[in-house]
């Protein structure tokens, strides 16, 4: 088998693994319970409006695609994991939003060049393993003068720190794969997009997460519902010392949540994200 075919097979296997991770658990619940308004934040910042053709990359269950459609825009929600679409369609119907849903790899989007007025990704493209390939596709399918809008967890955010806490327990990533929270580093994203964009506006902000009664409640919820966390626990469950590793990871995740607690009568955390918009250079 040629090197190119070997590489294609390896990529296909990697994407199948990613799809399985995000299909596990209940991401629809996570999006609705934990970050219900983040998609709308990105839509507003990107200036999405009626008459535009909009692509949401890594749309999941439509956290950004649905509010974009509610502006009157013609929206396509794309994701590597079409298992999430049924929940997204139910949410869209409940809110009265009409949009299209299409399975798509963020690193090889099945759309034409310069097809969309706005290309968005809310906590989506950041999980594609090859960052430059994902960024190249965002730019390619955006019209000259069109908007690229990205919302990503920062490396120092709670989620960034959570991935760092899980790393010692997770299988080693394949060669060339990059950590998702790098998309929350402004310098990294600017380098990915390069001179192909202009009018870059980047700001850090936080979302208040107050769905959980305690750090332990957060941990148990993510163990049951969030694909990447489920995958790590599954990976260590078969180890000879899996029980000890599981207990250590239990403690690490609860401790991390406790560190991010902001005090008050109810347990809450502030999770930081980078919101970046740009225009594709004409």
């Amino acid at each position: 088998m040629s090197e190119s075919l070997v590489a294609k097979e390896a990529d296909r296997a990697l994407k199948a693994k990613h799809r399985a991770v995000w299909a596990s658990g209940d991401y629809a619940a996570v999006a609705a319970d934990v970050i219900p308004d983040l998609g709308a934040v990105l839509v507003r910042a990107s200036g999405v409006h009626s008459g535009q053709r909009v692509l949401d990359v890594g749309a999941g269950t439509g956290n950004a695609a649905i509010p974009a459609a509610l502006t009157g825009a013609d929206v396509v929600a794309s994701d590597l994991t079409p298992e999430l679409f049924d929940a997204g369609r139910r949410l869209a119907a409940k809110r009265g939003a009409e949009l299209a849903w299409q399975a798509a790899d963020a690193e090889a989007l099945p759309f034409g060049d310069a097809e969309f007025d706005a290309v968005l990704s809310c906590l989506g493209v950041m999980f594609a393993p090859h960052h430059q390939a994902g960024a190249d596709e965002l730019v390619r399918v955006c019209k000259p003068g069109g908007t690229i809008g990205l919302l990503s967890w920062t490396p120092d955010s709670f989620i960034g720190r959570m991935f760092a806490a899980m790393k010692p327990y997770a299988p080693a990533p394949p060669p060339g794969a990059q950590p998702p929270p790098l998309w929350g580093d402004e310098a990294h994203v600017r380098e990915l997009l390069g001179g192909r964009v202009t009018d870059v506006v980047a700001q850090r902000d936080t979302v208040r997460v107050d769905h959980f009664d305690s750090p332990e409640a957060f941990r148990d919820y993510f163990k049951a519902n969030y694909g990447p966390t489920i995958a790590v626990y599954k990976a260590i469950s078969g180890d000879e010392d899996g029980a000890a590793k599981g207990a250590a990871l239990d403690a690490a995740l609860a401790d991390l949540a406790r560190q991010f607690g902001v005090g008050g009568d109810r347990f809450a955390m502030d999770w930081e994200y980078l919101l970046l918009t740009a225009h594709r250079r004409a």
Side-chain angles (χ1 to χ4, degrees):
M1 187 180 293
S2 68
E3 288 187 11
S4 63
L5 286 177
V6 170
K8 287 181 180 179
E9 286 299 320
D11 186 67
R12 188 177 294 112
L14 176 61
K15 300 300 171 58
K17 181 178 179 180
H18 277 225
R19 175 177 172 176
V21 165
W22 290 105
S24 65
D26 189 351
Y27 186 73
V30 175
D33 293 340
V34 183
I35 51 166
D37 300 321
L38 276 190
V41 169
L42 177 60
V43 169
R44 288 193 296 270
S46 301
V48 173
H49 58 79
S50 178
Q52 287 188 315
R53 181 157 168 76
V54 177
L55 175 65
D56 185 5
V57 178
T61 54
N63 198 266
I66 291 172
L70 290 173
T71 70
D74 175 12
V75 177
V76 178
S78 69
D79 200 281
L80 182 68
T81 309
E83 290 88 345
L84 301 175
F85 291 169
D86 283 346
R89 291 186 181 101
R90 290 192 294 270
L91 290 169
K94 185 177 180 179
R95 297 184 62 183
E98 295 185 5
L99 62 155
W101 301 82
Q102 185 163 344
D105 180 351
E107 298 178 3
L109 293 170
F111 307 107
D113 295 352
E115 189 170 334
F116 296 93
D117 300 292
V119 180
L120 313 180
S121 191
C122 180
L123 311 177
V125 71
M126 67 177 292
F127 290 101
H130 307 108
H131 293 188
Q132 191 62 64
D136 290 348
E137 286 295 271
L138 297 176
V139 175
R140 181 184 66 80
V141 301
C142 186
K143 292 180 180 179
T147 300
I148 296 171
L150 306 169
L151 192 152
S152 311
W153 300 123
T154 67
D156 292 329
S157 70
F158 176 80
I159 295 295
R161 295 276 299 280
M162 186 185 79
F163 273 89
M166 295 193 300
K167 184 177 179 180
Y169 304 92
Q178 294 174 280
L182 276 179
W183 278 90
D185 180 326
E186 180 184 344
H188 180 68
V189 181
R190 283 179 176 270
E191 182 177 355
L192 292 174
L193 298 175
R196 299 171 297 179
V197 299
T198 185
D199 305 321
V200 176
V201 177
Q203 63 181 39
R204 292 188 177 202
D205 207 340
T206 58
V207 58
R208 176 64 55 91
V209 175
D210 58 4
H211 180 74
F212 308 104
D213 293 331
S214 67
E216 291 76 17
F218 154 78
R219 176 200 64 209
D220 294 343
Y221 180 97
F222 263 52
K223 282 178 67 174
N225 294 290
Y226 189 61
T229 309
I230 293 170
V232 173
Y233 276 95
K234 183 178 179 180
I236 62 179
S237 65
D239 290 355
E240 184 176 332
D241 55 350
K245 287 182 177 179
L249 183 54
D250 278 350
L253 294 181
D255 287 347
L256 181 63
R258 192 171 292 109
Q259 291 173 32
F260 274 79
V262 293
D265 296 333
R266 178 178 174 82
F267 176 70
M269 298 176 279
D270 286 339
W271 294 2
E272 186 183 61
Y273 60 85
L274 176 72
L275 176 61
L276 184 145
T277 60
H279 293 130
R280 180 177 173 181
R281 192 175 295 276

